[in-house]
Amino acid sequence: MNAVQKELDSTKQVLFNNIDKINERGQRLDHLEQQTQDLSIQSRTFNQTAKKANRAMWWKNKKWTIAISILVIVILAGIIGGAIKGSH
């Protein structure tokens, strides 16, 4: 009878240890899930910010292209206008 009781106590201890391990694993999984959600939110935020920055740089580049094009046209118009005036 004593041996059976010891076996039961040993089995109970193994079960309690297993339950503790399952609880710890569940907590780690919950923590990992939260970290995953946080990372997902951060990646979406980064993606939106990167798109805005990309759009802003594209417009900045286009503004410079337009400004230089207008400057070249004005210079060419001046040169052509001067050449036409000088030929009369």
Side-chain angles (χ1 to χ4, degrees), residues 16-75:
F16 287 138
N17 288 342
N18 287 341
I19 290 170
D20 286 342
K21 288 178 184 177
I22 289 170
N23 284 335
E24 288 173 6
R25 182 175 180 264
Q27 289 172 356
R28 286 194 308 265
L29 287 174
D30 289 343
H31 182 69
L32 184 59
E33 183 180 356
Q34 183 61 46
Q35 286 178 325
T36 302
Q37 289 174 354
D38 292 346
L39 187 57
S40 178
I41 291 168
Q42 289 174 358
S43 70
R44 275 188 241 121
T45 302
F46 174 80
N47 191 23
Q48 291 170 349
T49 303
K51 283 181 181 179
K52 286 179 184 177
N54 191 26
R55 223 175 289 124
M57 292 305 294
W58 185 85
W59 277 112
K60 186 176 181 180
N61 186 33
K62 289 300 169 192
K63 287 177 187 176
W64 276 106
T65 302
I66 292 168
I68 290 172
S69 298
I70 290 172
L71 180 63
V72 168
I73 291 170
V74 167
I75 290 172

